[in-house]
């Protein structure tokens, strides 16, 4: 591959910096809902060639201020705290004693290898008992929050014109019982959250967040996982993994870092993240006991939850559905327990021969997560790791437990989504969605793929993109990406981009099939551009303008070929 | 990207040669059905680590003798003519006068640029009236041919053990009314062909062919398109495009070459192809009239059919469903007519304001194709080129015409499959399959994707791989690949490989979902290898062992990491 074929945007930014600059062909815009100039919702506008005689196409945008050329980006200062003013009116406790950072939080890193903490100012808030804190509690109380107004405006893509033909588009789709309205109002958002059908993961200690809603009556969302490198050259390098993933469309990012410096790196990520950050606190708790599962305890886990809660993590994967009684159900599996969290909890249960401390302390966990409005992502520790194990007794027993826990979490005022598989052949995907909706009272489903065959390592973004598109269509609210390196190694910069773009395809294909009234606008615009040979418009409207342009230029590099 | 990350198999072979050598980790084997040592069916065996204590996994193999280290490959001599002895017993006419090559056949190429004709010997056969020639005619007469015996053995993957658990696997799948037996007998093959539900594209002038069956009660097949380069450096370079595509799993290859030397290049390809070759004769006919559609005539088209028939092309795309009355139905489309064949015929109909000569001469076309047993691939000239145009009146009107023509072709003794879309959102895919089965009497369906969204140029192997997997599950018999360069430019060597692997994933995911009794064996073997950290076995069982190994080695390059 020669230099010409490497897009400049694939290159890493200079040391100490993150990737900035507009996405090719797009202009970052901020739009406010009527009467709420204090709420600025991000979009991208793609202007078309004058010959098209069409207005710009407005696109949902997750990339934060990084793609706004007028924004001053400084990872040491962090992003603007857009939610601070909203949070200031909610009677939250800003004076409570906060947790002190301990050596084990950063994996006992030696002083010479310590990544310093992020200097961006960060005050810690905590909810009070008896007053609403979570979006769920506000919604149940009939209150519309600024976050709800924000996501309503965001989901509508700011286009009043979307209402035209919206009913026809919905009728033309097949949504399997979902209920996507022609226009999203803040009240609709509130009602969906109150019903438990949607969540806005938004820790009160993450004021930098641009809120996003996850639920099957909204645009399908995608998550990208990132993790620290074995040797970190700088905090900015870790932040750039986030920036890179959201540049291409990740709606949320899970930080799955392990080992040294993870507390401080998490701080840098949160202070610089416009998207919800999820974690698996169990991973850090395990680090604190030297990686020995049986040494885990409720006390260490609880302390880790508070540590991450104060930092501002927006959702926690909690593997409370792996019960002692479920472990024997995996004995005859082809691939046993493949979830890391599931393996840890199964090992703990077997070592102590007692019920999981996550299950036993579930109400305590709810109390902590409610106090910061951290959403549950109830982990599927027993998800199938192969086609052979799909939809087996272990998987479904856990799902039934997750349904039971969902109701507990709701009763405690928490927002909840449910994690799902995994490896599932096409004909067994729909039952996963149907059963999840039934068992978990329509709480949002959040699946990894699923991968529709096991035989293509190196291409599992594709084996899983097929399953992701299908389950998104059937009603899955968020799709966790899989990169080409799945099963083989750690993804690099290009793998992350390919994974994100593949999942944007899956999510968008699902939106189209559901008859989402706003989805086909972009397809129609790019199809008209294609038919009229407006090449620049076709590139700019693409999910990945750089690659589209590069592929075209490889064979037809002349400017004349782009406007012909 | 550094040199290490480029797999050696991505490199082109030396000038004048084609890609040879075993697929990493596989051994080419030839197996004969009981009592028929004259029929040698190709497979690949993947031996597993002794610690697995498992027999080798036998894989369907399309790569021909090129991956057999014991085979002497010489493109000037062509492949062994494995069918000659079978054909010799069928009373075919080997003495009829044959067509003489004309200057226009090679695009009036000048002498200095002429690619010489392939020196491999090639006698021309023709069927006689009143005697069976086609596989369809033999099947209707109750006769089992060698081709039927060959494909039966091939589909069973030579494993008697496949019968164990086959009924359970079938019952576990969802096949939408298909009828995949636990074990494929030659008589079952015959009956499927006689019913029109399957075809074996096998021109009597293509003796080098290793027969393959296409039908929804068999393994899902994939096609790769190739085309000549603007400047051909050698005939071997063109043959290598075929060899490269079948190495990774293409079941058939369509030669869509245009311009100079296409007659001679087609000769080289056919003499060296173990897989069925398809063409669109209309493309060459258009070249002969200087690219001006209105100058086309039945006489020129007819002459081109005979030219290619004598060379040995196994199936022809015939766009006889584009009727004059259909053209106005496309007037208000977003992307008009995107099929090249469809555009040519629509232009001809409008220019002359008369019915398509392909439609009017359809019975004459049948007579020619029957005489050589060339299968019909009835082209979908009005397939949708965008989500907006999916399943519209033009598309379905043409499909109904194709159903009518299918019955004519059968009455003339011909084998038939039907081409399908195109760009179709997920929720509109199934109706395409259902309607095709109904309109076309269950003749095999052969679709391009479909692409499930328009917004991802550069990734259309993925947008279409999603749709291909789904329609394959629903009953589509063959999936025409789409490469990452779709809509943007001509695919290079890597694009062809990525397209083929993506479609192998789609076809295999479909086989799994249908409950094909032989499909999950490979998934189970690779999953066990994964669970037991048998890395070499995991790589070797992968659809693309080279990429799996390379991705793994990028992050964990030590040998110890592969056997741990």
């Amino acid at each position: 591959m020669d230099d010409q074929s490497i897009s400049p945007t694939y290159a890493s930014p200079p040391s100490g910096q993150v990737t900035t600059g507009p996405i090719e062909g797009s202009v970052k815009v901020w739009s406010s809902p009527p009467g709420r100039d204090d709420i600025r919702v991000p979009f991208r506008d793609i202007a078309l060639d004058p010959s098209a005689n069409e207005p710009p196409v407005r696109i949902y945008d997750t990339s934060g201020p990084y793609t706004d050329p007028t924004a001053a980006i400084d990872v040491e200062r962090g992003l603007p705290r857009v939610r601070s003013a909203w949070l200031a009116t909610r009677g939250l406790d800003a004076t409570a004693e906060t947790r002190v950072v301990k050596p084990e939080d950063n994996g006992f890193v030696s002083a010479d290898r310590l990544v310093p903490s992020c200097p961006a100012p960060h005050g810690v808030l905590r909810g009070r008992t008896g007053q609403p804190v979570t979006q769920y509690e506000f919604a149940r109380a009939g209150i519309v929050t600024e976050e709800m107004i924000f996501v309503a405006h965001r989901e509508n893509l700011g286009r009043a014109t979307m209402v035209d033909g919206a009913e026809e588009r919905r009728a033309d789709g097949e949504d399997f019982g979902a209920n996507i309205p022609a226009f999203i109002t803040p009240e609709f958002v509130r009602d969906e959250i109150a019903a438990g059908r949607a969540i806005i993961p938004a820790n009160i200690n993450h004021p930098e967040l641009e809120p996003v809603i996850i639920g099957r009556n909204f645009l399908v969302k995608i998550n990208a996982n990132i993790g620290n490198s074995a040797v970190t050259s700088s905090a900015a390098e870790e932040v750039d993994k986030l920036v890179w993933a959201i540049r291409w469309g990740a709606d949320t990012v899970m930080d799955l870092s392990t080992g040294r410096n993870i507390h401080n790196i998490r701080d840098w990520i949160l202070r610089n993240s416009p998207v919800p950050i999820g974690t698996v606190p169990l991973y850090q708790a395990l680090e604190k006991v030297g990686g020995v599962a049986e040494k885990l305890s409720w006390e260490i886990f609880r302390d880790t939850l508070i540590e991450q809660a104060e930092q501002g993590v927006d959702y926690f994967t909690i593997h409370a559905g792996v019960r002692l009684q479920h472990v024997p159900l995996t004995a005859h599996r082809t691939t046993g327990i493949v979830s890391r969290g599931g393996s840890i909890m199964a090992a703990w249960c077997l070592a102590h021969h007692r019920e999981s401390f996550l299950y036993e302390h579930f109400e305590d966990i709810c109390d902590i997560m409610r106090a910061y409005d951290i959403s549950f992502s109830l982990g599927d520790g027993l998800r199938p790791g192969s086609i052979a194990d799909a939809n087996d007794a272990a998987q479904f027993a856990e799902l039934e437990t997750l349904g039971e826990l969902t109701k507990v979490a709701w009763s405690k005022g928490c927002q909840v989504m449910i994690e799902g598989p995994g490896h599932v052949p096409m004909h067994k995907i729909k039952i996963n969605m149907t059963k999840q909706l039934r068992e978990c009272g329509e709480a949002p489903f959040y699946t990894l793929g699923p991968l529709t065959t096991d035989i293509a390592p190196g291409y599992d973004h594709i084996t899983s993109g097929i399953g992701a598109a299908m389950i998104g269509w059937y009603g899955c609210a968020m799709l966790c990406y899989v990169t080409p390196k799945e099963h083989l190694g750690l993804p690099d910069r290009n793998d992350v981009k390919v994974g994100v773009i593949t999942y944007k395809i899956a999510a968008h294909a699902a939106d189209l099939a559901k008859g989402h009234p706003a989805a086909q606008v972009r397809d129609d615009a790019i199809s008209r551009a294609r038919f009229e040979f407006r090449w620049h418009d076709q590139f700019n409207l693409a999910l990945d303008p750089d690659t589209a342009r590069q592929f075209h230029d490889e064979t037809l590099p002349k400017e004349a070929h782009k406007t012909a």
Side-chain angles (χ1 to χ4, degrees), chain A:
Chain A
M1 208 179 269
D2 61 12
D3 284 341
Q4 245 189 329
S5 69
I6 307 267
S7 163
T9 57
Y10 279 63
S12 296
S15 178
Q17 294 177 35
V18 295
T19 308
T20 57
I23 291 167
E24 180 76 21
S26 286
V27 175
K28 183 90 177 196
V29 293
W30 306 86
S31 163
S32 295
R36 289 304 296 261
D37 290 348
D38 58 320
I39 297 177
R40 294 173 74 236
V41 181
F43 298 100
R44 285 195 280 133
D45 276 355
I46 300 170
L48 304 181
D49 189 87
S51 69
N53 199 22
E54 294 179 30
V57 177
R58 182 153 287 187
I59 302 291
Y60 194 100
D61 181 72
T62 60
S63 62
Y66 301 101
T67 50
D68 183 349
T70 69
I73 300 298
D74 178 353
V75 293
E76 302 213 339
R77 287 196 309 154
L79 294 181
R81 288 172 280 283
V82 294
R83 292 175 67 214
S84 292
W86 314 342
L87 294 162
T89 65
R90 293 183 191 166
L92 300 165
D93 184 355
T95 60
E97 199 178 331
T98 57
R99 184 180 172 283
V100 176
V101 176
K102 304 170 185 174
E104 61 263 38
D105 298 353
N106 281 306
F108 299 103
V109 64
S110 57
D112 59 320
R113 291 191 169 191
L114 181 72
V115 171
S117 59
C118 182
H122 180 60
V124 174
L125 298 174
R126 190 180 301 157
R128 296 181 204 267
T129 310
Q131 273 183 225
V133 183
T134 71
Q135 299 291 322
Y136 181 76
E137 289 173 316
F138 283 113
R140 298 288 287 187
I143 297 168
V144 169
T145 63
E146 284 82 0
E147 287 84 352
M148 297 175 198
I149 299 170
F150 187 104
V151 301
H153 194 62
R154 193 172 198 181
E155 292 280 323
N156 283 325
L157 303 179
R159 283 171 298 118
T161 56
M162 200 195 71
V163 184
D164 298 342
E167 286 303 334
E168 290 76 4
R169 288 205 183 88
R170 282 178 52 200
D172 188 50
E174 166 55 65
D175 66 5
F176 298 102
N179 174 32
I180 304 170
F183 196 79
I184 309 282
T185 62
E187 291 72 26
F188 178 79
V189 170
R190 178 196 61 200
D191 294 347
E192 288 292 295
I193 293 173
R197 273 196 298 270
I199 65 172
I200 299 179
N203 187 322
I204 56 175
N205 291 313
H206 189 193
E208 301 87 355
L209 179 74
E210 297 171 356
V212 55
I213 190 158
I214 300 167
R216 75 168 163 142
N217 292 323
F218 301 93
L219 291 160
V220 176
K221 304 304 187 295
I222 68 165
N223 171 72
N225 295 329
I226 61 172
N228 55 338
S229 304
V231 181
T232 303
S233 64
S234 74
E237 183 188 307
E238 301 300 325
V239 173
D240 194 53
K241 292 175 183 170
L242 160 83
V243 172
W244 182 248
I246 64 177
R247 181 178 182 86
W248 300 111
D251 293 285
T252 80
V253 167
M254 290 196 76
D255 175 15
L256 303 183
S257 296
T258 54
R260 287 191 288 259
N261 290 309
I262 53 174
H263 178 97
N264 286 359
I265 288 171
R266 191 184 306 122
D267 228 23
W268 284 91
I269 288 172
L270 279 159
R271 300 291 72 77
N272 288 284
S273 176
V275 303
I277 297 296
T279 63
V280 187
L282 191 65
Y283 293 178
Q284 188 179 13
L286 187 70
E287 303 273 345
K288 293 179 181 177
V289 296
V292 183
E294 65 186 85
K295 291 192 185 165
L296 281 167
S297 67
W298 162 242
E299 290 68 29
I300 286 166
F301 187 76
R302 181 183 177 283
D303 187 53
T304 306
L305 292 184
I306 293 169
E307 172 191 351
Q308 299 195 13
E310 291 187 352
Q311 288 187 294
V313 173
D314 299 287
Y315 64 91
F316 285 160
T317 295
I318 303 287
H319 293 95
V322 183
R323 297 190 60 181
L324 177 62
Q325 68 195 37
H326 297 154
V327 181
L329 297 176
T330 66
H332 297 292
R333 278 184 155 184
T334 297
T335 45
I337 300 177
V338 297
S339 150
R340 182 155 183 252
S343 302
I344 295 166
M345 290 313 302
W348 189 93
C349 290
L350 291 178
H352 296 275
H353 202 74
R354 53 174 290 196
E355 187 57 88
S356 150
F357 63 83
L358 298 177
Y359 184 80
E360 291 196 330
H361 285 277
F362 191 73
E363 295 202 12
D364 300 321
I365 296 171
C366 291
D367 289 336
I368 294 168
M369 289 173 67
R370 175 202 162 271
Y372 306 90
D373 195 7
I374 300 167
S375 297
F376 275 97
S377 186
L378 287 173
D380 59 332
L382 303 181
R383 69 165 178 268
S386 56
I387 293 297
D389 294 342
N391 295 15
D392 72 353
Q395 183 197 334
F396 282 166
E398 182 186 33
L399 181 56
E400 288 158 21
T401 301
L402 299 184
E404 170 201 321
L405 297 174
T406 300
K407 277 122 207 166
V408 175
W410 283 341
S411 76
K412 292 291 213 165
C414 296
Q415 303 190 86
V416 187
M417 62 181 169
I418 311 292
E419 295 185 9
H423 292 239
V424 185
M426 284 192 286
H427 65 302
K428 294 187 178 179
I429 292 176
K430 191 154 193 304
I431 185 66
N432 276 275
M433 191 67 234
T434 308
K435 187 173 173 71
Q436 186 274 340
L437 288 171
R438 188 176 63 234
E439 299 290 343
C440 303
E442 299 192 62
F445 206 21
Y446 166 32
T447 59
L448 178 71
L451 288 71
T452 54
T453 169
D454 305 332
I455 68 168
Y459 299 81
D460 277 327
H461 59 307
I462 299 176
T463 65
S464 69
I466 294 166
M470 292 174 71
I471 203 162
W473 174 28
Y474 298 152
C476 189
M478 186 157 76
L479 311 169
C480 182
Y481 88 164
V482 172
T483 78
K485 290 280 169 61
E486 183 75 15
H487 297 120
L488 298 171
L490 296 174
D492 63 21
R493 194 168 171 82
N494 190 39
D495 296 322
V496 167
K497 179 175 175 180
V498 169
V500 169
I501 297 286
T502 301
Y503 273 67
K504 290 297 283 183
I505 289 169
H508 186 76
D511 287 332
L512 282 176
K514 288 167 81 176
H516 191 291
Q520 201 180 310
V521 171
R522 190 170 179 180
D523 296 75
D524 292 349
I526 202 170
S527 292
R528 287 190 295 268
R530 191 169 279 157
F531 189 61
E532 294 167 10
F533 295 99
R534 286 182 275 115
W535 285 102
H536 291 296
D537 289 352
Q538 190 185 159
F539 302 150
N540 295 342
L541 286 162
L543 282 179
D544 177 359
D546 300 331
T547 297
R549 193 179 306 267
Q550 172 197 324
F551 280 6
H552 179 266
D553 289 358
E554 278 176 23
T555 41
L556 293 170
K558 293 217 176 69
E559 186 64 19
H561 287 118
K562 296 202 195 84
T563 49

